[in-house]
Amino acid sequence: MRPDLTTTPTAAALRDQILHHLTHTQGRGPEFATVFDWRLAVSYTVRDLMVGPWVQAIRAARDQGAKRVYYLSMEFLIGRILGDAIINLNLEPAMGEALSLLGLDEQVILDDEPDAALGNGGLGRLAACFMESLSSLNCPAFGYGIRYEHGLFRQRFEGGQQVETPEDWLNQPHPWEFVRINYSYEIGFKGHVDTVDGRAVWHPGESVIARAYDTPVIGWGGDWANTLRLWGALPTTLLDLSRFNAGDHTAAAEPEALARTLSRVLYPDDTTESGKELRLKQEYFLTSAALQDILARFLAEHGDLEILPEKVAIQLNDTHPAIAGPELIRLLMDQHGLGFERAQDLARRTLNYTNHTLLPEALERWSTWLMGRVLPRHMQIIQMIDEDHRRTTNRPAHIGIVHGDQVHMGELAFIMAGRVNGVSALHTDLVKDTVFADLHRLHPDRIVNQTNGVTPRRWLRMANPALTRLMDDTIGTGWTADLDQLKELAAHADDAGFLQHLHGAKRANKAALSNGLLAGLGVRADPDAIFDVQVKRIHEYKRQLLNVLEAIALWHRIHEDPNGDWTPRVKIFGGKAAPGYWLAKSVIHLINDVATTINADPVTRDLLQIAYPPNYNVSMAEDLIPAADLSEQISTAGKEASGTGNMKFTMNGALTIGTLDGANVEIREHVGAENFFLFGLTAEEAAAERARPGHARRAIEASEDMKIALQLIAEGRFGRAESYYALLDRTWNDDPFLVASDFDAYFAAQRAVDRAYADQAGWDRMAALNIARSGFFSSDRTIRGYMRDIWHAVPVVPA
Ligand SMILES: *Cc1c(COP(=O)(O)O)cnc(C)c1O
């Protein structure tokens, strides 16, 4: 039976198709099928329904000669695909019915899918939300990334400490992808550059093949799908047969082993670069494969390179693919015979760059020695770009791409981009004033803002069915494609019946979390307590330390007055630390040690509980965020570029306790200052405070609560004190992220949260207004902004 592509299939049709795939694709009879077999059969059934719109979309883009958007990213933190595809294809309730006809539990099937965790955190998740919005908006686009065999490591806790184990999502068939053996490109490294008849000829010393693996990304409504094309590395020669025949079997497989390492692992660090040759090779591998593919498609359709910028817009997600500038110039010059000036001009009108961080340790730099050795031709071109920029701008000597023996990838990306964008209003201002102040002065029109967003399909409609039902019943379903429609909910913010339902939806989500994940950890979480959630990568600037110190101080205060009027609270943490980031790992250890002590305390047990479920990922976020009352967005002002977790919480009706950092600023403007718990220094004040010698010690001495919290750790009340000497020493003597300076303001804001939560109707009203005013934070709005201001791309209507 062929699936019907024009109307939504019935439950019976879906059931038949699932049975067909179980038998003919999985080779299993129903009586022998495992959950895994069924899940694959269901996935193939759903995939069948994606393929029609996908092929049509690709055909429409080609036939109409449409401009295409290419999103280059080292990370795509996709999560599970099946549930999202079912939602976007409008397969509910038919799919649920089909599965019950087969005697299957839909949730069990959905939960069987491993997360595609090809990213570390926010940057990779942004790329995934963008892919979904691009499809939902009919914008012809490709995402390009690496098909890592091992995604982000799995996290376990042993004695409260993080232990990493490899992730192996490809240890089983990945039903969503199509391997394209005819889309393969050779990627060179090392070697030397000759000059032949005045032209440069690069003779790579090593090379590998990049092979395309395509996954369709279906948009909301199911009539458009774009392609996520991930590159896997293959050896140019599979086996050195002469060595094999000579009996040297291990050496014979060397070329294969060398190539495979390129797409083996995701670098498990989202802020600092390891400086490893392999990382540079991975970045070039992705970038070169993508650009060769883009040029091949462009030339097949258009031929005339002069119109490249009219038909192609390339977005670099951070500096990781910044080698795209020199690589595109190299391809245009060395393979297509253009001169440097013309190649550079075309490249600059085609490329754009998104900056994601101001943290100095996260700005990529490579030594000229390494760049020259791994990519000798690119090192030459980088010098040509730098020299040309110096000449044409008359810039001061301290500005440029190559400084001493370092290549600065941020400067390279900026100089080669038509547009450079920040990811929140505040961040964009800081980009102009700090990292790129000099380049901004030379190119005052280049930097623009595009505040991040998240897709409401995954983060509301899929993750929060209880709230979705209430919203559909109250204002209809139009909000799914047009999130601004949520503002119609504001009219119901004073309607006691509506607030009751809203409260009921949140409470149901909390009860499910409490009986599921939290019960599994042995944490007693009363669904009527505040669920206070901080989930994100563990990093000093995100200040999980501030949160756990507040928990200790609160615990101590409750002990002083156990019969006081306390608001019961469950603090939930989630997140991974980079394996080499030992201070962050010591914060994880501390949170777990504090949880062990506090959770077992009979005096405070019903008032304060701490849960830290291990292995935070997209799927866990989908369970935690809809159950949150309070969203912790407490980074040191000036350090979080945007945040996207903050947006997911807001649209799910959690109130934010937060600093004026990243997109928090805009969230507060939208939801209203009276519906947001603000505390802490501003970015400007924080910079001034940091410059004052002795700021940490002075702030701690002035704060009784903070002093006691640190003292209790130092006394060994939570595990061995020695485990925390380094953390304590840094907090007393250095504290670059100003935990101490913001502590009292944070503690006071938390007590304001307690009081507000005690007024249930008042809290529910604030939650309703947060949801109603969160429409701006849809990634559809963000993508429309990129299309209008950066890509000059328009939606395509399939024939
Ligand atoms: C949204 C998301 C992030 C980003 O969270 P921030 O709070 O913005 O840092 C990280 N990881 C996962 C799994 C997410 O879903």
Side-chain angles (χ1 to χ4, degrees), residues 326 344 348 364-366 368 371 379 381-390 395 397-416 439:
Q344 181 181 241
R348 202 174 272 154
E364 281 187 297
R365 278 161 205 176
W366 301 106
T368 50
M371 184 67 81
M379 191 63 232
I381 294 173
I382 288 168
Q383 264 145 356
M384 289 158 77
I385 296 167
D386 207 17
E387 172 56 23
D388 178 79
H389 187 258
R390 190 191 59 71
R395 68 189 190 199
H398 67 279
I399 307 177
I401 301 168
V402 182
H403 292 276
D405 63 352
Q406 300 265 295
V407 183
H408 291 224
M409 300 307 272
E411 276 76 357
L412 174 62
F414 188 111
I415 286 171
M416 284 310 301
L439 285 170

Side-chain angles (χ1 to χ4, degrees), residues 77 121-122 125 459 535-536 542 616-618 621 633 643-645 648:
L77 189 50
R125 185 52 235 174
W459 293 109
V535 287
K536 44 183 81 245
K542 291 179 182 275
Y616 178 61
N617 58 14
V618 172
Q633 306 301 337
T644 48
K648 301 169 197 165

Side-chain angles (χ1 to χ4, degrees), residues 192-204 326 329-340 375-382 384:
H192 65 278
V193 181
D194 277 347
T195 311
V196 179
D197 300 335
R199 303 200 78 87
V201 180
W202 176 25
H203 302 280
I329 293 175
R330 180 187 76 85
L331 292 170
L332 293 174
M333 288 177 72
D334 300 357
Q335 296 196 354
H336 298 283
L338 271 56
F340 173 75
L375 299 171
R377 176 63 179 141
H378 298 76
M379 191 63 232
Q380 293 179 344
I381 294 173
I382 288 168
M384 289 158 77

Side-chain angles (χ1 to χ4, degrees), residues 77 115 120-123 125-126 454 459 535-537 541-542 616-619 621-622 625 632-633 640 642-649:
L77 189 50
D115 269 45
N120 282 294
L123 173 147
R125 185 52 235 174
L126 183 76
V454 300
W459 293 109
V535 287
K536 44 183 81 245
R537 288 297 288 236
Y541 85 81
K542 291 179 182 275
Y616 178 61
N617 58 14
V618 172
S619 294
E622 290 160 9
I625 292 171
E632 297 269 356
Q633 306 301 337
E640 186 75 86
S642 165
T644 48
N646 47 5
M647 302 168 184
K648 301 169 197 165
F649 280 99

Side-chain angles (χ1 to χ4, degrees), residues 13-27:
L14 287 172
R15 177 202 54 197
D16 293 349
Q17 198 58 18
I18 292 167
L19 282 169
H20 166 85
H21 276 299
L22 186 76
T23 318
H24 293 91
T25 311
Q26 280 303 97

